[in-house]
Amino acid sequence: MSATDGGNTLNTRAEIANAVERVCLNTPLPVDVHTHLYSARFGDLLLWGFDELVTYHYLIAEVCRTNRSVSPAQFYAMSKIEQADHIWQSLFIKESPISEARRGVLTVLESFGLDVAGGNPAEYREFFAASTADEHIDRVFEVANAEKVVMTNDPFDDQERPIWESEGPETDERFLAALRIDPMLVNWEGQAAPRLAEWGYDVSADLSGKSTAEARRFLVDWCQRIDACYLAVSLEADFVYPADHSSTKLIDEAVVPACIELGIPFAPMIGVKRQINPELVLAGDGVGKCDIGSVERLCVTHPDCDFLVTLLSRENQHEFCVAARKFPNLKPFGCWWFLNDPSIIEEMTRERVELLGLSFVAQHSDCRILDQLVYKWKHSRRILAKVLTEKYQDIAAPGWQLTEAQIEADVSGLMGGNFLKWIGRA
Ligand code: FIX
Ligand code: ZN
């Protein structure tokens, strides 16, 4: 796209700033590349509403440190409504809801036109109770100005698997599927091998015989069953590739060949330290710096495979950008989990634009609750606008000519449009 395509040139810093903000706040979100959301047909696997929003595991971690009169065990023994009331009182009423996860709840309530100042959970519960899941999905996608989200689909989940087996691919076009295979690379012997054998795949715990060929067949079968747009795994901070570990053999002989055969990216998400505090259950995971060399070796060993990668540690981000400069098959995405906070989103987006231009996916939400799609993107859009305003003003200063249409194309790409083009689904 040339500088003069698509309308009037933006001539002043103010014109650029206004155009960038308008575009970032109003461009439809092409796709949120990683969420834990589900379409309505998955029933109660899709979480939404006030009580789910307020008992998000980020807020469980915060309430367990803020109000120590209730232990984690006592908290988890409560009902969902009791948990929500406890969090609301402890984290919103008794002290300012100033953390990012608490601020997000307020943004959601305001976005639905509810009385935030009133702070009345009964009113909020009544609002959500008045809608069906289908109605609320429509509402959230409209308020968030979102077109698609990618689910996290786990064939090892006994509640989710039968729905795919009986009903086939997703029919709600707003929900793309991604196959999630943690047990295969994290616990092949104890978890994945027995299940695959149970399902008729000729595999063994020691990976002998046809095991990796059969593991590949399992991956291809499931990716085709759910029409997966990528194949994902969450790997701990101590993940190393290659290593004398089943994960290396499975990556080399099953995962990567399946991705190449299907024409979809492999998406390792690296850096979690699982259950550093098991008392917190889902809220008990931590973060660790991972070995960027393992990412580099994955990319150089498998040049015909595309890698969609996110790393959890802030300390990995600069070397991650440098690695992405060296490997065209490596696409960084999102400000994941503990990085999804304004100060770090700004830092990461700035260094990514400076080192990678527009060849990355700026954000994903990781939403576990449908309503979070509203706040996670509302907050990120503003930060993207702040960074891009500065960067566009920087290139306009020596005389480069900018149009709003060009900025729209850039922003849509950064918000996931370039991922859809990359996988041939634009
Ligand atoms: O592995 C993942 O997909 C992580 O995003 C989750 O396990 C994590 O709990 C989360 O939701 C972070 O935002
Ligand atoms: Zn996630």
Side-chain angles (χ1 to χ4, degrees):
M1 162 142 344
S2 78
T4 53
D5 281 0
N8 302 326
T9 303
L10 302 166
N11 293 309
T12 67
R13 291 173 61 85
E15 284 177 5
I16 291 170
N18 292 335
V20 171
E21 181 175 78
R22 191 166 47 244
V23 167
C24 287
L25 298 189
N26 301 316
T27 293
L29 170 65
V31 62
D32 186 338
V33 297
H34 171 62
T35 77
H36 297 270
L37 302 179
Y38 294 89
S39 65
R41 73 173 182 160
F42 287 94
D44 59 13
L45 281 174
L46 171 65
L47 304 178
W48 58 285
F50 178 77
D51 293 302
E52 293 297 352
L53 199 54
V54 171
T55 58
Y56 184 32
H57 71 73
Y58 292 27
L59 293 171
I60 294 174
E62 291 183 29
V63 78
C64 289
R65 59 176 290 99
T66 301
N67 182 345
R68 297 180 66 188
S69 67
V70 173
S71 72
Q74 290 168 327
F75 174 85
Y76 281 108
M78 292 176 179
S79 70
K80 176 68 77 175
I81 289 184
E82 288 167 341
Q83 290 176 354
D85 287 340
H86 172 65
I87 287 176
W88 185 254
Q89 286 302 316
S90 305
L91 297 184
F92 291 81
I93 302 306
K94 291 181 179 162
E95 64 172 52
S96 303
I98 203 167
S99 71
E100 182 62 8
R102 293 180 234 178
R103 172 202 175 203
V105 173
L106 306 185
T107 299
V108 169
L109 297 175
E110 177 214 25
S111 301
F112 292 150
L114 296 170
D115 175 16
V116 176
N120 180 1
E123 178 205 335
Y124 307 147
R125 287 177 173 128
E126 190 181 324
F127 167 79
F128 288 101
S131 301
T132 64
D134 282 299
E135 289 165 344
H136 196 58
I137 289 170
D138 292 346
R139 174 192 288 126
V140 167
F141 272 75
E142 184 185 353
V143 171
N145 195 8
E147 293 179 344
K148 294 180 188 297
V149 300
V150 182
M151 302 182 280
T152 295
N153 303 114
D154 181 355
F156 297 94
D157 181 312
D158 292 336
Q159 188 178 352
E160 178 179 0
R161 185 180 60 258
I163 297 169
W164 289 109
E165 288 172 334
S166 60
E167 298 181 24
E170 180 54 59
T171 54
D172 185 333
E173 291 181 357
R174 295 169 295 185
F175 292 85
L176 298 178
L179 193 73
R180 182 66 176 260
I181 58 162
D182 293 16
M184 183 174 275
L185 298 186
V186 173
N187 186 5
W188 168 259
E189 188 174 338
Q191 192 177 357
R195 298 308 304 273
L196 265 66
E198 179 192 324
W199 298 329
Y201 295 92
D202 183 9
V203 298
S204 52
D206 64 1
L207 281 177
S208 59
K210 295 168 48 183
S211 291
T212 54
E214 285 289 273
R216 172 180 172 174
R217 184 169 71 89
F218 164 79
L219 293 174
V220 172
D221 286 351
W222 267 93
C223 283
Q224 290 175 334
R225 174 172 290 126
I226 72 171
D227 187 22
C229 64
Y230 61 77
L231 210 163
V233 63
S234 176
L235 296 166
E236 294 212 49
D238 62 1
F239 168 74
V240 175
Y241 174 91
D244 181 18
H245 184 277
S246 59
S247 62
T248 291
K249 189 171 174 66
L250 284 158
I251 287 171
D252 289 345
E253 298 178 22
V255 173
V256 166
C259 287
I260 293 171
E261 177 183 340
L262 294 160
I264 61 174
F266 176 34
M269 303 163 63
I270 312 171
V272 66
K273 281 164 67 177
R274 286 194 176 88
Q275 295 298 285
I276 58 173
N277 182 356
E279 270 199 331
L280 296 185
V281 193
L282 187 59
D285 294 336
V287 58
K289 187 174 185 296
C290 76
D291 167 40
I292 194 70
S294 293
V295 177
E296 294 160 355
R297 287 186 292 274
L298 275 170
C299 294
V300 77
T301 308
H302 300 291
D304 296 334
C305 183
D306 282 341
F307 294 89
L308 177 71
V309 176
T310 198
L311 304 182
L312 188 52
S313 168
R314 178 188 180 197
E315 286 66 31
N316 276 126
Q317 298 307 320
H318 180 257
E319 57 190 5
F320 186 18
C321 286
V322 172
R325 285 173 62 87
K326 306 308 166 185
F327 296 106
N329 57 333
L330 174 58
K331 186 182 286 288
F333 79 91
C335 303
W336 183 25
W337 201 342
F338 305 111
L339 301 173
N340 200 350
D341 304 298
S343 59
I344 300 177
I345 296 169
E346 180 174 341
E347 174 186 279
M348 285 176 64
T349 305
R350 202 178 292 280
E351 74 180 350
R352 284 170 167 178
V353 168
E354 290 160 2
L355 282 166
L356 302 175
L358 299 164
S359 62
F360 65 97
V361 180
Q363 185 59 293
H364 73 278
S365 68
D366 231 308
C367 291
R368 282 184 175 272
I369 293 95
L370 177 60
D371 311 283
Q372 294 171 337
L373 200 62
V374 170
Y375 92 78
K376 288 184 183 248
W377 280 101
K378 201 166 201 175
H379 295 178
S380 290
R381 286 172 180 267
R382 286 213 170 277
I383 301 162
L384 187 60
K386 180 180 179 185
V387 173
L388 290 181
T389 294
E390 179 189 312
K391 295 306 173 188
Y392 284 122
Q393 289 172 339
D394 286 350
I395 62 171
W400 184 257
Q401 296 201 324
L402 280 164
T403 66
E404 187 154 340
Q406 181 186 334
I407 295 171
E408 275 172 4
D410 294 348
V411 168
S412 182
L414 282 174
M415 295 204 312
N418 66 37
F419 165 74
L420 291 175
K421 283 195 187 113
W422 195 50
I423 63 168
R425 294 194 191 209

